[in-house]
Amino acid sequence: MAVARDHEPPAAPATFAVLLGPVAFYMGIIVPAESTVRHVLLGAVFAIVCLASGWRAISIARRRVAVRVWAWIGIVLGAAGLLMLVWQVLVLLTAGAFPPPFWSPYAGH
């Protein structure tokens, strides 16, 4: 009995990763003073879904170079957004004891 092949087009998760990557990146740059918890949770969800979609696209792309390139672009943007978000959360949780990020002069407030 043959194993069923995956019929999902690899461009679909790659496109999803590329669309969510900039959103996660933007949410990592700015953490608002109001509704911070909601912003952090949404940013984390966008980044995690972006990373998962990118990995999914890479795993099913095989030799399709364009799909792999776009998936990696989404992964890099999503990972950068998640790292920036974590950095700013550390600054907020430690009340400024953790050094504030260079891109956001208001991260400690």
Side-chain angles (χ1 to χ4, degrees):
M1 189 162 145
V3 176
R5 292 185 54 140
D6 195 354
H7 296 291
E8 179 183 12
T15 303
F16 202 58
V18 169
L19 292 175
L20 286 180
V23 174
F25 188 82
Y26 173 75
M27 293 186 92
I29 289 174
I30 299 170
V31 174
E34 294 181 16
S35 65
T36 305
V37 173
R38 181 175 38 158
H39 179 87
V40 168
L41 288 176
L42 282 174
V45 166
F46 283 139
I48 290 168
V49 170
C50 172
L51 294 173
S53 296
W55 283 118
R56 175 73 179 148
I58 288 171
S59 69
I60 63 176
R62 292 186 184 88
R63 295 180 187 220
R64 296 180 181 118
V65 176
V67 171
R68 295 173 71 87
V69 168
W70 282 112
W72 275 111
I73 290 171
I75 287 171
V76 167
L77 287 173
L82 187 61
L83 288 174
M84 292 186 315
L85 196 63
V86 167
W87 188 342
Q88 292 200 49
V89 167
L90 285 173
V91 171
L92 292 171
L93 289 177
T94 61
F98 195 79
F102 62 89
W103 66 84
S104 181
Y106 305 110
H109 297 179

